[in-house]
């Protein structure tokens, strides 16, 4: 029967479903359910669950390529988490906002969120996420033309990643360093980074990362006049 406990259980179930969504049809179905979770959380005045519902709505809009909606919802999720003073709750929307702003070609915002995310993930002990977003920070800084800072972040990302037994993250961090060096016009330094990233991506069976490496390596060659 309807009760606060039943409403809380429904929110938990919806959040779990959203975390495993695959395919466009499932994403759209889960977005509808998440709106219900958001309404329930607001009715219960359960701010942590509201922040989570808003984050997962943002995450699914991001997956669907609707970046404007994703940014709006992620910012609202972060606002709720910050009002609660809950760093763990805030870490997910901060990380997502860093990625979206980079993809939208907004490096200043992307770098600011990536820096905050790297610091958060380090404090929270999330080693894989710390390495990945530190590499992402290098990408954002290089996109902004801040190459000295970018290469320092790239080196830190690679250092963190190489301590992990996680091939996709290691591949990503070497790729980010290659992209930063390529944008700087240093093809000789970029090529070994891309080669290392490709080897790791192949070992991980990460076809999408291989696709990205080919694209950015080609761009680096174009920029250098090779």
């Amino acid at each position: 029967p309807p009760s606060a406990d039943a409403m809380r259980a429904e929110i938990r179930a919806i959040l779990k479903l959203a975390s495993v969504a695959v395919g466009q049809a499932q994403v759209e179905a889960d977005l509808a359910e998440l709106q219900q979770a958001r309404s329930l959380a607001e009715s219960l005045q359960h701010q942590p669950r509201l922040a989570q519902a808003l984050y997962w709505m943002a995450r699914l809009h991001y997956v669907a390529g609707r970046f404007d909606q994703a940014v709006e919802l992620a910012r609202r999720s972060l606002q709720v988490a910050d009002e609660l003073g809950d760093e763990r709750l805030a870490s997910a929307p901060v990380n997502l906002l860093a990625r979206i702003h980079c993809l939208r070609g907004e490096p200043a915002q992307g770098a600011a969120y990536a820096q905050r995310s790297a610091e958060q993930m380090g404090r929270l002990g999330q080693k894989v996420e710390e390495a990945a977003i530190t590499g992402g920070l290098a990408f954002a800084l290089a996109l902004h033309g801040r190459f000295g800072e970018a290469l320092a972040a790239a080196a830190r990302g690679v250092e963190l990643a190489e301590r992990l037994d996680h091939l996709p993250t290691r591949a990503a961090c070497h790729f980010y360093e290659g992209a930063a060096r390529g944008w700087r016009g240093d093809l000789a330094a970029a090529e070994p980074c891309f080669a290392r990233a490709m080897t790791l991506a192949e070992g991980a069976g990460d076809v999408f990362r291989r696709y990205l490496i080919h694209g950015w390596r080609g761009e680096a060659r174009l920029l250098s006049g090779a």
Side-chain angles (χ1 to χ4, degrees), residues 78 81-82 85-98 112-127 129-130 133-134:
L78 179 57
D82 280 345
D86 189 329
E87 184 169 52
R88 188 172 295 278
L89 198 59
S91 65
V94 169
N95 189 275
L96 182 59
L97 284 164
Y113 282 116
Q115 181 66 57
R116 181 178 174 184
S117 182
E119 293 168 358
Q120 285 178 318
M121 295 304 178
R123 287 192 295 269
L124 294 170
Q126 300 292 330
K127 299 300 184 184
E129 290 294 343
E130 181 188 7
I133 199 60
T134 301

Side-chain angles (χ1 to χ4, degrees), residues 38 54 57-77 96-97 99-101 103-106 109:
R38 177 182 182 176
L54 290 164
M57 292 174 75
R59 175 74 174 264
L60 293 184
H61 278 297
Y62 163 71
V63 169
R66 297 188 287 264
F67 293 160
D68 290 347
Q69 295 97 315
V71 165
E72 180 182 351
L73 290 160
R75 285 178 177 167
R76 176 61 183 137
S77 174
L96 182 59
L97 284 164
R99 297 172 188 277
I100 295 172
H101 282 298
L103 288 173
R104 292 208 310 189
E106 297 163 345
Q109 298 97 314

